[in-house]
Amino acid sequence: MYCVVKHLKTSDVHQDVQSPVEFSASGFGRFIGTLSGDSLANLLSYLSIQDLANLELSSRRVRTILHDKCGLSVSQLHKYYQYFLSLPKAEQHFYQAMATGNQQLLHHLRTVPTVFSPCHPVQCRPEALCAYYTNHFCQQVIHAPSVTLKASGRMEFLPIVSAFFLNTNHNCLINEDSRARAMHIWAPDNSGSWHRECSMDYTTGINMHNQPGGNILFLPSRRSSGEPSVPDRGGSAHEFLLSVVRRSDSGNWSEVQQMTGADIYHSLGHRRINEMIVSDDGKSLVCIDRKSGGAILCCGTDGNWRHNNALSWGDNHEIRFSPDSQYLALFDGAEVSFITRGDDGLWSCSSKIDFGLSCDAAAASRAALDNDRLFDNMEFDMAFSPDSRHFAAWSDDLGIYDETIPGAEKEFYVKVAGLDHNQRWSHKLTITKTHSDTHHCFLLSVDFSPDGRLLVVATINGFDIWSLDDDSCSPVMEDQAYIDGAGQVLRDLPDIKFSMNSRLLCFMMAASSLSVDDNELRASIWYRGESGQWEWEHALNSSTLLKASPRGNALVCRSESESTDIYQYKDSGQWCKQPVKLSIQEARFNRQGCLLAARTDDGSLLLLGLCSDGTWQEKNRWQPEGQIRDFEFSSCSRSLQTRVYHNGKEVLTFWQITPDLGAAR
């Protein structure tokens, strides 16, 4: 039996809910046979990809309609969705954030014949479209003998009077002209060509950091609301402190909301916004007045932003959104407050965890009375795991030592919290590191694997690996030297890179990190075998490590002969060295690791691409008029941004990257 239910659209809200209509298999076949192609396509548009994939297998007419309307079979689209679900949580969150703030890319995806043209009637999640497109693009790059760089936008700025902010999606550029006291918004249209979409006056400095979205901007403001000031209670609560600017589908920007200090903080004592942080999904905003407090704002169903929750604040406070944008961690140096977003989109404090010297309540209370804090005279940092199920806070030294006490020991901590089965945060683990050398700083960093199941603690003496799950945390390796059997103390911490499958772990050490006795070590690679045991696999030697790919499977090194070596990890488990007869001064990988942009000693920009045999091949080269100052790929790898200094101006150019598939053999 087949059950067909037409779900309500927005226009159907005043209609009665229709009862399910049941058909036998033969009856259902006769029913759809009476429908026109457009009527059947409209009916099918209410079904999920999974339902359509099942229905496609049982009805030839459904299969024909879907192929005519989608250009692809639903079973293929279902595979794309399954590809998204197979990615690590870190990658899934990345594509969700990409889809939230890049409507131009989504429009492009729905008009690419080789990808999804057109998607109607299938309702596919935007993040799945972005994930498949990126993988599809990388495969095209790998098989194309060359790529074309087409300039889609060019802007000139005077460095002295201009500043610009470009988001990671490369779909929104803010230019602040301090001489004209004006702000200009540049953005690409659906074809990728850049235009200045909006210009407006501004009255205060523009805070564009931590704003990933491309269709909504939060701009600090200093304008009177017309309400009388209250001098004895701050006097600025009735000034507009925040403007919300939104981009319509047609590319028109407009100010849709103004908020005063009282609107934001619900207090007349808050005078300013020093910092703004937007969640990756664009649904929450944190505003911070460093002198007196902070607030969480949420967007209501009517599109207006409102105060949701107040935050305490101090000089040593830090705040982080989780990758899935469902949690906030507020750290004051001794205690972490976890704030959770409910199903209604509102935030509330769910739990607090003491991160002091002891988990014992009495000891923690005594420490609080004595103003003894875990991170006094120390640097501290914190992070969520990619799957948003674990959290870590850690400390290392500021380099302040009392050398009148020889050999004085100092303890450093990594505190780990996790979600329990009731979705509440609780303390899971404390890792203690002791340091007694008063003549050297003790440095420590923490990183999670892409799947969120491993925690690496790296120090100047060695590293630990811990296994994390919902019930317990257990050590896999402790106090391990970076090269098996060779102990050394580093001057600086190594960069930590995991492979996408969390089975390969690389420690990259710059020249200043190494002890005098080990001048050649630049990268140490560890591999987790099928048994789950980690083993030291290889050490790569080179004069200078320039760059490691985001997935840790490619390293760019400059040798003493001024040539360049690229080390590539292949599926066979071998690291292969590929000499490049060029002196590369600076290098950038795209996020997927299949493109490498490099500035050479002759001032040109070289674009290398990964090939199917694991080697790197020149795909394009550009010689600018002027000096290259910076270059960066967009998060989707569809474009490359270059910044060149020429004739006293900063020239910013956006290049569309197109694989030359027609030239492939």
Side-chain angles (χ1 to χ4, degrees), residues 8 12-19:
L8 293 179
D12 298 325
V13 293
H14 298 297
Q15 298 178 7
D16 295 332
V17 178
Q18 300 180 26
S19 301

Side-chain angles (χ1 to χ4, degrees), residues 551-570:
R551 302 185 179 187
N553 58 352
L555 306 174
V556 181
C557 305
R558 188 170 62 239
S559 64
E560 294 180 355
S561 62
E562 295 302 315
S563 62
T564 304
D565 297 328
I566 301 179
Y567 293 87
Q568 180 68 40
Y569 187 78
K570 298 193 174 182

Side-chain angles (χ1 to χ4, degrees), residues 283-516:
K283 296 179 180 179
S284 301
L285 170 69
V286 173
C287 295
I288 297 168
D289 179 349
R290 295 195 186 100
K291 289 188 176 181
S292 53
I296 307 175
L297 307 182
C298 294
C299 186
T301 55
D302 59 357
N304 288 325
W305 289 77
R306 296 181 179 86
H307 173 97
N308 173 224
N309 212 317
L311 301 172
S312 62
W313 202 258
D315 292 338
N316 60 343
H317 281 53
E318 291 289 339
I319 194 167
R320 293 284 188 280
F321 276 104
S322 63
D324 63 2
S325 302
Q326 296 300 309
Y327 304 100
L328 263 174
L330 177 62
F331 188 29
D332 66 1
E335 186 178 64
V336 176
S337 298
F338 290 99
I339 308 170
T340 301
R341 186 167 68 182
D343 294 337
D344 57 0
L346 301 180
W347 293 85
S348 60
C349 185
S350 60
S351 56
K352 294 185 178 183
I353 301 175
D354 174 67
F355 269 59
L357 296 176
S358 173
C359 291
D360 178 70
S365 177
R366 289 194 300 272
L369 292 175
D370 296 336
N371 292 320
D372 184 8
R373 293 293 184 263
L374 170 62
F375 298 107
D376 281 351
N377 298 322
M378 299 181 186
E379 293 281 3
F380 69 91
D381 207 346
M382 60 183 184
F384 282 95
S385 62
D387 61 359
S388 301
R389 296 199 62 80
H390 288 89
F391 170 87
W394 63 94
S395 65
D396 62 7
D397 219 313
L398 281 171
I400 302 174
Y401 295 94
D402 185 356
E403 297 191 11
T404 63
I405 308 176
E409 289 190 347
K410 201 169 187 178
E411 291 185 332
F412 299 84
Y413 301 89
V414 179
K415 297 272 186 160
V416 181
L419 282 173
D420 59 24
H421 295 291
N422 295 320
Q423 301 302 302
R424 292 183 61 85
W425 291 93
S426 60
H427 176 265
K428 297 288 187 182
L429 172 69
T430 298
I431 303 170
T432 304
K433 296 295 181 183
T434 303
H435 184 60
S436 59
D437 185 353
T438 60
H439 300 287
H440 295 89
C441 293
F442 185 76
L443 303 177
L444 182 151
S445 67
V446 170
D447 199 10
F448 290 96
S449 61
D451 60 8
R453 293 302 182 183
L454 295 173
L455 177 76
V456 175
V457 179
T459 73
I460 56 176
N461 301 318
F463 69 96
D464 300 348
I465 299 179
W466 288 77
S467 175
L468 308 177
D469 58 41
D470 292 341
D471 298 318
S472 63
C473 305
S474 57
V476 178
M477 303 174 71
E478 292 186 276
D479 298 319
Q480 178 66 50
Y482 290 105
I483 291 186
D484 196 17
Q488 73 277 341
V489 177
L490 303 182
R491 297 182 187 139
D492 201 356
L493 288 172
D495 290 332
I496 304 171
K497 296 287 184 182
F498 272 99
S499 62
M500 190 60 63
N501 61 6
S502 302
R503 302 185 70 89
L504 190 70
L505 176 60
C506 301
F507 297 99
M508 269 67 70
M509 280 143 302
S512 61
S513 301
L514 307 173
S515 62
V516 176

Side-chain angles (χ1 to χ4, degrees), residues 34-241:
T34 63
L35 298 176
S36 66
D38 289 339
S39 297
L40 179 57
N42 183 59
L43 176 63
L44 297 176
S45 69
Y46 292 93
L47 303 181
S48 67
I49 290 181
Q50 180 66 63
D51 292 335
L52 288 171
N54 295 333
L55 192 57
E56 181 189 37
L57 298 176
S58 61
S59 172
R60 179 180 300 177
R61 186 157 190 266
V62 168
R63 185 162 58 249
T64 301
I65 291 295
L66 290 174
H67 188 275
D68 291 343
K69 295 294 182 181
C70 300
L72 296 170
S73 67
V74 175
S75 58
Q76 288 176 288
L77 290 175
H78 184 58
K79 290 179 182 178
Y80 304 154
Y81 183 57
Q82 291 301 313
Y83 168 74
F84 170 77
L85 294 179
S86 70
L87 296 173
K89 285 293 184 181
E91 288 294 283
Q92 292 185 26
H93 294 319
F94 167 76
Y95 288 114
Q96 286 168 349
M98 180 192 293
T100 298
N102 202 337
Q103 293 301 314
Q104 296 95 325
L105 176 62
L106 292 178
H107 181 275
H108 171 71
L109 298 187
R110 293 188 174 104
T111 57
V112 179
T114 56
V115 185
F116 295 111
S117 178
C119 283
H120 181 80
V122 177
Q123 306 297 323
C124 192
R125 289 168 57 176
E127 56 267 31
L129 300 183
C130 292
Y132 171 73
Y133 167 74
T134 305
N135 180 65
H136 175 80
F137 177 84
C138 287
Q139 294 303 314
Q140 287 184 321
V141 169
I142 288 172
H143 293 96
S146 61
V147 300
T148 296
L149 294 178
K150 178 185 176 182
S152 57
R154 186 177 186 273
M155 306 91 171
E156 293 185 355
F157 305 107
L158 291 174
I160 298 177
V161 299
S162 295
F164 58 86
F165 307 89
L166 177 67
N167 66 350
T168 56
N169 280 332
H170 286 201
N171 70 325
C172 185
L173 174 73
I174 309 299
N175 169 220
E176 176 185 352
D177 187 341
S178 60
R179 180 177 56 185
R181 303 297 291 171
M183 182 192 74
H184 309 289
I185 302 177
W186 300 75
D189 57 22
N190 290 332
S191 67
S193 298
W194 283 77
H195 306 279
R196 185 166 64 184
E197 294 190 337
C198 180
S199 296
M200 62 181 69
D201 297 333
Y202 73 91
T203 58
T204 187
I206 300 173
N207 183 338
M208 291 306 305
H209 301 289
N210 301 315
Q211 294 201 42
N215 299 310
I216 186 169
L217 300 173
F218 302 95
L219 305 177
S221 177
R222 279 286 186 183
R223 288 176 289 177
S224 173
S225 65
E227 295 289 333
S229 61
V230 187
D232 60 328
R233 300 187 65 183
S236 64
H238 295 302
E239 282 185 336
F240 287 125
L241 295 186

Side-chain angles (χ1 to χ4, degrees), residues 75 138 521 538 541 639-640 650:
S75 58
C138 287
L521 172 63
H538 200 57
N541 302 324
S639 71
L640 174 70
E650 296 274 5

